[in-house]
Amino acid sequence: MRLSTFLPILAASLATAAPLEQRDTVEDYNAPPGGDVTILNYALTLEYLERKFYMEGLANYTQADFVAAGFADPFYDNLKEIYYDEQACFTLAGALGTAAVHEATYSFPSTDVKSFLALSSVLEGVGVSAYLGAAAEIVTGAYLTVAGSILTVESRHSSYIRAALKESPFPKPFDTPLDFNQVFSLAAQFITSFAPGDPALPFKAFPALTIQPSQYPYTAGSSPVTFTHAMKNAVSAGLIKADTPVYAVFFSGLDTYYVKVRTTSGNSGDFKIDMIPAGGNGQLAPTGQVYVVLSTADGTTTKVSDENTISGVGILEVNPVGQRDGVF
Ligand SMILES: *[C@@H]1O[C@H](CO)[C@@H](O)[C@H](O)[C@H]1NC(C)=O
């Protein structure tokens, strides 16, 4: 059922319930040019990336390396299973036929088992967010079923890796949808070049956001965050003036949080916030794999959108208030 058909029914059944908070950036989830074909190629691009990542990881690090790093058997075998699951790309490529994009070339920053697994956790989480964000715009029912069946497996991978890293396997009652450009911005960091001759996906990457010092994990309601050179970069790119108000906009589950940034002393051109929001006022605490962009939207007069995003997407692992180590 299309969302437009479903909404009146939903509205009727919610008439007596509390108003459902909608994600702010609804228009950014609209179907891209090319519709389902573009969305499937977008999914295929992510599947190729993940497949290559596990292929390299399994080649670079042995079973003994994982055991030595504290990931006892059958962890390595389960990683191999994840790699096999990423062959879902062939199903997508098959559905697309000659319209399918090809594998790009990639570069992953991992250098050992620990950094490989940290990135694995991030990529699985981004996979979940990507399929979730795209779902509402898939028109063909059969494709939605395929995408949904990949999404649920991605979320199992995510939970498994998160639990192995002693992070909460399912930190929040809702996962976090990301829009096409947000996911593209994250994926583009690992893509060194697209396959020659492939049609370019109609998405753009935002200017990259650097979070320093990188901390793991952060705590909702207390950790400060510095966005290194973010003001200097946005001013020199002509995206803002030095006195333009800028907000760090966090996404976690279906909640969106706005925190006004301040500049730091000295001439580093950083933006800073004194603490990650704690939730409250009807919002759950940001928890788990949390995303952040910098935007000129304040959340009241203007909502965050691709058009007013000046940098992103950053990723932080966040523990909720009062929870020390992410283990429930
Ligand atoms: C695997 O090792 C190669 C060579 O050192 C490196 O370039 C690549 O980034 C590594 N990939 C992963 C996923 O660890």
Side-chain angles (χ1 to χ4, degrees):
M1 199 187 311
R2 296 284 296 133
L3 198 57
S4 53
T5 322
F6 183 66
L7 278 177
I9 305 169
L10 185 69
S13 65
L14 282 175
T16 54
L20 182 64
E21 182 121 348
Q22 294 283 328
R23 265 301 289 267
D24 285 349
T25 54
V26 172
E27 69 280 8
D28 295 327
Y29 291 87
N30 286 348
D36 281 359
V37 169
T38 300
I39 296 174
L40 290 192
N41 267 325
Y42 163 81
L44 180 56
T45 300
L46 297 174
E47 293 297 328
Y48 277 144
L49 186 154
E50 287 188 314
R51 180 169 163 273
K52 184 68 173 185
F53 173 72
Y54 287 106
M55 188 191 275
E56 282 187 12
L58 289 165
N60 287 4
Y61 318 115
T62 64
Q63 181 176 26
D65 292 337
F66 281 94
V67 172
F71 301 94
D73 290 338
F75 188 81
Y76 190 78
D77 280 346
N78 280 330
L79 272 189
K80 279 198 211 156
E81 187 61 46
I82 292 179
Y83 166 63
Y84 295 135
D85 290 345
E86 303 300 349
Q87 321 258 344
C89 56
F90 298 123
T91 304
L92 291 170
L96 283 159
T98 55
V101 294
H102 301 85
E103 216 175 29
T105 54
Y106 310 91
S107 169
F108 301 107
S110 62
T111 49
D112 56 17
V113 163
K114 282 250 156 71
S115 57
F116 171 75
L117 289 178
L119 185 51
S120 159
S121 181
V122 164
L123 291 178
E124 296 293 351
V126 171
V128 169
S129 294
Y131 280 95
L132 194 53
E137 293 312 320
I138 299 174
V139 174
T140 309
Y143 292 161
L144 182 57
T145 303
V146 171
S149 71
I150 296 173
L151 166 59
T152 55
V153 175
E154 294 273 341
S155 75
R156 281 176 225 189
H157 295 166
S158 169
S159 295
Y160 181 77
I161 301 287
R162 288 181 59 83
L165 293 173
K166 309 244 187 300
E167 297 167 350
S168 166
F170 18 73
K172 218 174 166 177
F174 300 95
D175 278 319
T176 312
L178 287 178
D179 74 32
F180 297 104
N181 286 334
Q182 290 166 344
V183 171
F184 190 76
S185 301
L186 289 164
Q189 299 171 43
F190 307 110
I191 297 175
T192 46
S193 65
F194 289 96
D198 272 358
L201 290 170
F203 306 122
K204 62 159 196 187
F206 302 116
L209 184 60
T210 306
I211 299 174
Q212 285 296 334
S214 68
Q215 184 183 325
Y216 172 90
Y218 293 81
T219 303
S222 70
S223 303
V225 181
T226 300
F227 303 100
T228 309
H229 303 330
M231 178 184 141
K232 189 158 76 183
N233 293 344
V235 169
S236 60
L239 298 171
I240 55 168
K241 301 219 162 58
D243 58 356
T244 306
V246 169
Y247 295 78
V249 185
F250 293 85
F251 303 109
S252 174
L254 300 177
D255 294 312
T256 306
Y257 318 74
Y258 294 80
V259 184
K260 193 167 182 208
V261 302
R262 60 180 175 81
T263 51
T264 51
S265 53
N267 60 1
S268 57
D270 296 347
F271 277 138
K272 182 166 178 161
I273 60 167
D274 292 326
M275 68 174 200
I276 293 178
N281 292 325
Q283 289 190 313
L284 299 167
T287 310
Q289 180 156 308
V290 173
Y291 304 100
V292 61
V293 300
L294 296 182
S295 166
T296 54
D298 61 7
T300 308
T301 52
T302 327
K303 302 291 188 190
V304 63
S305 70
D306 290 349
E307 285 63 42
N308 57 41
T309 294
I310 60 168
S311 181
V313 176
I315 295 183
L316 310 94
E317 178 62 27
V318 180
N319 284 342
V321 183
Q323 198 188 315
R324 277 190 308 116
D325 57 6
V327 181
F328 285 75

